[in-house]
Amino acid sequence: MVRHIVSWNFKPELSEEERRAAAETLVARMTALRDLVPCVERLEVFQPPIGLSNCDLCMYTEIDKEENLVVYRDHPEHQKAVSYTHLRAHETSQDL
């Protein structure tokens, strides 16, 4: 199993209203991947509840095996979600 962890910070030019709308859309799009990408065993997207966090949104994903990271990465639904986020946020990710 591989843990794929992503954090996003919204671009500074977004207004508060745009940030709220982007967060809502991003959570919905990424959460939907649970049912759309077969190798995803667990996926959670959330806004960090701790005020001292250094990101606006986080995603924790468990992929069944390392070889399937590319399946997840290249899945058309994942690519749609990524294209949405890249217009609105900066991303950092780690695979463990």
Short mmCIF file of all heavy atoms in Angstrom, two decimals, residues 30-57:
data_model
loop_
_atom_site.label_atom_id
_atom_site.label_comp_id
_atom_site.label_asym_id
_atom_site.label_seq_id
_atom_site.Cartn_x
_atom_site.Cartn_y
_atom_site.Cartn_z
N MET A 30 -12.42 15.61 -5.85
CA MET A 30 -11.43 14.65 -5.38
C MET A 30 -12.10 13.51 -4.63
O MET A 30 -11.71 12.35 -4.79
CB MET A 30 -10.38 15.34 -4.52
CG MET A 30 -9.57 16.40 -5.27
SD MET A 30 -8.85 15.86 -6.84
CE MET A 30 -7.42 14.98 -6.30
N THR A 31 -13.10 13.78 -3.83
CA THR A 31 -13.80 12.73 -3.09
C THR A 31 -14.46 11.75 -4.05
O THR A 31 -14.50 10.54 -3.78
CB THR A 31 -14.83 13.35 -2.13
OG1 THR A 31 -14.15 14.22 -1.23
CG2 THR A 31 -15.57 12.29 -1.34
N ALA A 32 -14.95 12.23 -5.16
CA ALA A 32 -15.59 11.35 -6.16
C ALA A 32 -14.62 10.31 -6.70
O ALA A 32 -15.05 9.23 -7.14
CB ALA A 32 -16.15 12.18 -7.31
N LEU A 33 -13.33 10.57 -6.64
CA LEU A 33 -12.34 9.62 -7.16
C LEU A 33 -12.36 8.30 -6.41
O LEU A 33 -11.95 7.27 -6.94
CB LEU A 33 -10.94 10.23 -7.13
CG LEU A 33 -10.72 11.46 -8.01
CD1 LEU A 33 -9.31 12.01 -7.81
CD2 LEU A 33 -10.97 11.12 -9.48
N ARG A 34 -12.83 8.31 -5.16
CA ARG A 34 -12.94 7.07 -4.38
C ARG A 34 -13.69 5.99 -5.16
O ARG A 34 -13.33 4.82 -5.13
CB ARG A 34 -13.68 7.30 -3.07
CG ARG A 34 -12.85 7.76 -1.95
CD ARG A 34 -13.64 7.69 -0.66
NE ARG A 34 -14.83 8.52 -0.69
CZ ARG A 34 -15.10 9.45 0.21
NH1 ARG A 34 -14.28 9.67 1.21
NH2 ARG A 34 -16.19 10.17 0.12
N ASP A 35 -14.76 6.40 -5.83
CA ASP A 35 -15.62 5.45 -6.53
C ASP A 35 -15.27 5.31 -8.01
O ASP A 35 -15.80 4.44 -8.69
CB ASP A 35 -17.08 5.88 -6.41
CG ASP A 35 -17.53 5.91 -4.96
OD1 ASP A 35 -17.11 5.04 -4.18
OD2 ASP A 35 -18.30 6.83 -4.61
N LEU A 36 -14.39 6.16 -8.51
CA LEU A 36 -14.08 6.17 -9.93
C LEU A 36 -12.76 5.50 -10.30
O LEU A 36 -12.59 5.07 -11.44
CB LEU A 36 -14.08 7.61 -10.46
CG LEU A 36 -15.40 8.36 -10.32
CD1 LEU A 36 -15.22 9.83 -10.67
CD2 LEU A 36 -16.46 7.72 -11.21
N VAL A 37 -11.83 5.45 -9.36
CA VAL A 37 -10.51 4.88 -9.64
C VAL A 37 -10.37 3.59 -8.83
O VAL A 37 -10.30 3.64 -7.59
CB VAL A 37 -9.39 5.88 -9.29
CG1 VAL A 37 -8.03 5.32 -9.66
CG2 VAL A 37 -9.61 7.22 -9.99
N PRO A 38 -10.34 2.44 -9.50
CA PRO A 38 -10.39 1.15 -8.81
C PRO A 38 -9.27 0.89 -7.79
O PRO A 38 -9.50 0.22 -6.80
CB PRO A 38 -10.30 0.13 -9.95
CG PRO A 38 -10.66 0.86 -11.18
CD PRO A 38 -10.31 2.30 -10.95
N CYS A 39 -8.09 1.44 -7.99
CA CYS A 39 -6.98 1.14 -7.09
C CYS A 39 -6.99 1.98 -5.81
O CYS A 39 -6.19 1.75 -4.92
CB CYS A 39 -5.65 1.30 -7.81
SG CYS A 39 -5.38 2.95 -8.48
N VAL A 40 -7.93 2.91 -5.69
CA VAL A 40 -8.03 3.74 -4.50
C VAL A 40 -8.75 2.95 -3.41
O VAL A 40 -9.90 2.54 -3.56
CB VAL A 40 -8.78 5.06 -4.79
CG1 VAL A 40 -9.06 5.82 -3.51
CG2 VAL A 40 -7.99 5.91 -5.76
N GLU A 41 -8.05 2.73 -2.30
CA GLU A 41 -8.64 2.01 -1.18
C GLU A 41 -9.25 2.95 -0.15
O GLU A 41 -10.19 2.59 0.54
CB GLU A 41 -7.59 1.11 -0.52
CG GLU A 41 -7.15 -0.01 -1.44
CD GLU A 41 -6.25 -1.01 -0.75
OE1 GLU A 41 -5.75 -0.74 0.36
OE2 GLU A 41 -6.04 -2.07 -1.34
N ARG A 42 -8.69 4.14 -0.05
CA ARG A 42 -9.20 5.13 0.91
C ARG A 42 -8.84 6.51 0.37
O ARG A 42 -7.76 6.71 -0.17
CB ARG A 42 -8.55 4.90 2.26
CG ARG A 42 -8.98 5.85 3.34
CD ARG A 42 -8.34 5.50 4.65
NE ARG A 42 -8.64 6.48 5.66
CZ ARG A 42 -8.07 6.53 6.84
NH1 ARG A 42 -7.16 5.63 7.17
NH2 ARG A 42 -8.39 7.45 7.70
N LEU A 43 -9.74 7.46 0.54
CA LEU A 43 -9.47 8.82 0.11
C LEU A 43 -10.30 9.77 0.96
O LEU A 43 -11.51 9.60 1.09
CB LEU A 43 -9.84 9.00 -1.37
CG LEU A 43 -9.41 10.30 -2.02
CD1 LEU A 43 -9.09 10.09 -3.49
CD2 LEU A 43 -10.47 11.37 -1.86
N GLU A 44 -9.62 10.74 1.56
CA GLU A 44 -10.27 11.76 2.38
C GLU A 44 -9.74 13.12 1.98
O GLU A 44 -8.54 13.29 1.82
CB GLU A 44 -9.97 11.53 3.86
CG GLU A 44 -10.48 10.23 4.42
CD GLU A 44 -10.04 10.05 5.86
OE1 GLU A 44 -10.19 11.00 6.66
OE2 GLU A 44 -9.53 8.97 6.17
N VAL A 45 -10.62 14.07 1.81
CA VAL A 45 -10.24 15.45 1.52
C VAL A 45 -10.86 16.32 2.59
O VAL A 45 -12.04 16.16 2.92
CB VAL A 45 -10.74 15.90 0.13
CG1 VAL A 45 -10.24 17.30 -0.18
CG2 VAL A 45 -10.30 14.93 -0.95
N PHE A 46 -10.08 17.23 3.15
CA PHE A 46 -10.61 18.04 4.23
C PHE A 46 -9.85 19.34 4.37
O PHE A 46 -8.73 19.48 3.88
CB PHE A 46 -10.57 17.27 5.56
CG PHE A 46 -9.24 16.65 5.85
CD1 PHE A 46 -8.28 17.34 6.57
CD2 PHE A 46 -8.93 15.38 5.38
CE1 PHE A 46 -7.05 16.77 6.83
CE2 PHE A 46 -7.69 14.81 5.64
CZ PHE A 46 -6.75 15.51 6.37
N GLN A 47 -10.49 20.28 5.05
CA GLN A 47 -9.82 21.51 5.43
C GLN A 47 -9.25 21.27 6.82
O GLN A 47 -9.98 20.83 7.71
CB GLN A 47 -10.79 22.68 5.44
CG GLN A 47 -11.25 23.04 4.04
CD GLN A 47 -12.18 24.23 4.04
OE1 GLN A 47 -13.30 24.12 4.50
NE2 GLN A 47 -11.71 25.33 3.51
N PRO A 48 -7.97 21.52 6.99
CA PRO A 48 -7.36 21.26 8.30
C PRO A 48 -8.10 22.02 9.40
O PRO A 48 -8.35 23.23 9.28
CB PRO A 48 -5.93 21.79 8.15
CG PRO A 48 -5.67 21.72 6.68
CD PRO A 48 -7.00 22.03 6.04
N PRO A 49 -8.49 21.31 10.46
CA PRO A 49 -9.26 21.94 11.53
C PRO A 49 -8.41 22.79 12.47
O PRO A 49 -8.93 23.54 13.27
CB PRO A 49 -9.87 20.75 12.26
CG PRO A 49 -8.89 19.65 12.02
CD PRO A 49 -8.33 19.89 10.65
N ILE A 50 -7.10 22.67 12.36
CA ILE A 50 -6.21 23.39 13.27
C ILE A 50 -5.79 24.70 12.61
O ILE A 50 -5.26 24.70 11.50
CB ILE A 50 -4.98 22.53 13.60
CG1 ILE A 50 -5.44 21.24 14.28
CG2 ILE A 50 -3.99 23.29 14.47
CD1 ILE A 50 -4.37 20.21 14.46
N GLY A 51 -6.01 25.79 13.29
CA GLY A 51 -5.72 27.11 12.73
C GLY A 51 -4.26 27.35 12.38
O GLY A 51 -3.94 28.22 11.60
N LEU A 52 -3.36 26.58 12.96
CA LEU A 52 -1.94 26.77 12.70
C LEU A 52 -1.45 26.01 11.47
O LEU A 52 -0.28 26.08 11.13
CB LEU A 52 -1.12 26.33 13.92
CG LEU A 52 -1.39 27.11 15.21
CD1 LEU A 52 -0.60 26.50 16.37
CD2 LEU A 52 -1.04 28.57 15.03
N SER A 53 -2.32 25.32 10.80
CA SER A 53 -1.94 24.55 9.61
C SER A 53 -1.41 25.49 8.53
O SER A 53 -1.83 26.64 8.42
CB SER A 53 -3.15 23.78 9.08
OG SER A 53 -2.77 23.04 7.95
N ASN A 54 -0.49 24.98 7.72
CA ASN A 54 0.10 25.81 6.67
C ASN A 54 -0.49 25.51 5.29
O ASN A 54 0.13 25.77 4.28
CB ASN A 54 1.61 25.66 6.66
CG ASN A 54 2.04 24.25 6.33
OD1 ASN A 54 1.23 23.36 6.18
ND2 ASN A 54 3.34 24.04 6.23
N CYS A 55 -1.71 24.96 5.25
CA CYS A 55 -2.35 24.71 3.96
C CYS A 55 -3.85 24.95 4.08
O CYS A 55 -4.41 24.97 5.17
CB CYS A 55 -2.06 23.31 3.46
SG CYS A 55 -2.76 22.00 4.46
N ASP A 56 -4.48 25.13 2.91
CA ASP A 56 -5.92 25.39 2.87
C ASP A 56 -6.74 24.10 2.80
O ASP A 56 -7.83 24.03 3.35
CB ASP A 56 -6.27 26.27 1.67
CG ASP A 56 -5.65 27.65 1.78
OD1 ASP A 56 -5.72 28.24 2.88
OD2 ASP A 56 -5.07 28.12 0.79
N LEU A 57 -6.23 23.10 2.09
CA LEU A 57 -6.90 21.81 1.95
C LEU A 57 -5.87 20.71 1.95
O LEU A 57 -4.73 20.91 1.53
CB LEU A 57 -7.67 21.72 0.62
CG LEU A 57 -8.95 22.49 0.46
CD1 LEU A 57 -9.44 22.36 -0.99
CD2 LEU A 57 -10.01 21.98 1.40
#
